Amino acid sequence: MLEHGGNLNDAVIRYGVARADWLDLSTGINPDFYPAPSLRADAWHRLPEASDDLAAAACAYYGAPQMLPVAGTQAAIQALPQLRLREHGVARVVVAAPAYAEHAHRWQQAGHAMREVGYADLPDTVDACDVMVVCNPNNPTGARVTPDVLLRWAQQLAARGGWLVVDEAFGDTTPQLSVAAHTGAQAGLIVLRSVGKFFGLAGVRLGFVAAQDTILNGLREWLGPWSVSGPAQQIGIAALRDSDWQQGTRTRLLAAGERLQRLLADYGIDSSGSAMYQWWPEPNAAAFHDCMARQSIWVRLFTRGAGGIRLGLPPDEAGWQRLQQGLQVWREQTEHTEHSA
């Protein structure tokens, strides 16, 4: 199992601090989550029938011609490599990196010839792969690829039966980047969307896949019946239809993301990211992570490559003040180390 953000139990065990006392910034999930509605009386009793209302709400919100509800985009991330293997055999796969580690892990686990490539080098690899996976905007760095470039790559891949998988899990605050609307016309273009990030409903386990019929039907068969719970369907419909909440939340998140980037800059940290997180290649990443943890602030540590840190948004003003104090301690610790060297 790969390590991910949100693993607060590990922090509790390692540092001996009660769960309620942590400021958890280790995920990029909206801390001001959507208020789930009351569920129907039979929500936990009946098997979850496929919901046309859920698919329609998703298509209207994401702008895609057709979408398949799945139990979080993780379900699709695990299924797509298996589906490709069954229908086309072993593929040459390029995964844009650094990125959500499950993409590379699952393609490699399925036996494909997988390699990770930096965003700047992606244009040089399109002609040398059968499948390309791009997170847009990227998690954790916030790197972006414009829609016209993605669609050109999709056409190049489709010409030889290839796929372009675009993970737009963090795309709700940058709708101008989405290529979901093109999935009906463009063969081999697969777009993943998540209710967990922007809506802050990670525990609901609900996501969507936009693609042409052949791919969606293959996924539907692979995932089997009852893949999305009845409660998740009801909550998802309400969230996807609530345009007032969406508009207000998008405005707040964009402002909060700018605030987080400014706060980090005040402490000499040059970060990048999206509205819901900031990331930077920290040369002393393990030390930063430990410094924050000793102040009961849990952040996401990246150890691959040069190492890095990702911070999510504090949930309230008290959280912002705790983060600022933590950064001050880190600066003082760093200055002391430099003076002692």
Side-chain angles (χ1 to χ4, degrees):
M1 295 288 288
L2 298 179
E3 183 179 347
H4 299 291
N7 53 343
L8 198 54
N9 286 339
D10 291 349
V12 171
I13 295 170
R14 190 183 313 175
Y15 290 93
V17 177
R19 187 180 182 89
D21 294 332
W22 284 93
L23 173 62
D24 186 6
L25 306 180
S26 68
T27 75
I29 296 171
N30 177 7
D32 187 17
F33 54 87
Y34 184 78
S38 299
L39 300 176
R40 293 197 303 264
D42 63 353
W44 301 108
H45 174 66
R46 295 187 57 83
L47 285 171
E49 302 171 67
S51 171
D52 292 338
D53 288 343
L54 178 60
C59 288
Y61 175 69
Y62 295 115
Q66 55 185 350
M67 304 195 88
L68 174 68
V70 294
T73 50
Q74 179 66 30
I77 289 169
Q78 294 177 198
L80 285 170
Q82 301 293 340
L83 187 64
R84 179 78 193 190
L85 187 66
R86 184 184 70 180
E87 298 184 355
H88 302 278
V90 174
R92 300 166 299 164
V93 181
V94 165
V95 177
Y100 179 56
E102 288 285 343
H103 285 293
H105 176 61
R106 297 300 173 176
W107 285 98
Q108 188 172 49
Q109 186 184 58
H112 295 282
M114 191 282 303
R115 61 189 176 118
E116 296 179 86
V117 174
Y119 272 68
D121 297 322
L122 288 176
D124 299 327
T125 66
V126 178
D127 292 330
C129 67
D130 306 303
V131 176
M132 178 177 281
V133 182
V134 181
C135 295
N136 199 43
N138 182 39
N139 168 28
T141 68
R144 291 160 167 78
V145 182
T146 60
D148 60 317
V149 170
L150 288 172
L151 293 174
R152 185 169 67 248
W153 293 348
Q155 291 173 356
Q156 291 175 252
L157 288 160
R160 54 181 184 275
W163 289 355
L164 175 64
V165 181
V166 184
D167 185 342
E168 296 181 352
F170 286 95
D172 298 70
T173 56
T174 54
Q176 71 277 9
L177 294 178
S178 179
V179 292
H182 300 274
T183 51
Q186 180 58 66
L189 176 60
I190 303 169
V191 173
L192 310 180
R193 300 298 302 242
S194 171
V195 166
K197 310 300 189 296
F198 174 75
F199 291 96
L201 296 174
V204 169
R205 307 311 306 138
L206 178 62
F208 298 90
V209 181
Q212 290 191 342
D213 281 334
T214 302
I215 294 172
L216 294 186
N217 289 338
L219 268 178
R220 186 180 289 108
E221 177 189 351
W222 186 273
L223 295 171
W226 315 305
S227 61
V228 178
S229 74
Q233 292 184 21
Q234 292 180 43
I235 294 168
I237 290 170
L240 292 167
R241 287 176 173 174
D242 196 337
S243 57
D244 290 340
W245 186 92
Q246 295 158 13
Q247 183 175 353
T249 298
R250 189 172 293 112
T251 299
R252 288 192 297 274
L253 287 175
L254 288 168
E258 292 176 358
R259 178 181 180 181
L260 180 57
Q261 190 170 39
R262 289 194 306 269
L263 176 60
L264 294 171
D266 289 342
Y267 289 87
I269 297 172
D270 183 16
S271 66
S272 62
S274 78
M276 289 181 279
Y277 57 85
Q278 289 291 305
W279 177 91
W280 69 95
E282 172 57 56
N284 299 306
F288 180 93
H289 181 265
D290 183 68
C291 177
M292 294 295 112
R294 293 186 183 283
Q295 301 171 77
S296 303
I297 302 173
W298 195 233
V299 304
R300 181 71 165 91
L301 171 65
F302 290 84
T303 57
R304 297 181 65 185
I309 295 291
R310 187 191 65 197
L311 298 180
L313 298 174
D316 50 32
E317 194 58 36
W320 283 100
Q321 295 305 314
R322 283 182 66 181
L323 175 58
Q324 184 173 357
Q325 292 165 9
L327 292 170
Q328 180 63 33
V329 171
W330 168 248
R331 180 160 67 181
E332 292 171 357
Q333 177 178 307
T334 303
E335 291 174 347
H336 176 75
T337 301
E338 292 173 350
H339 292 156
S340 300

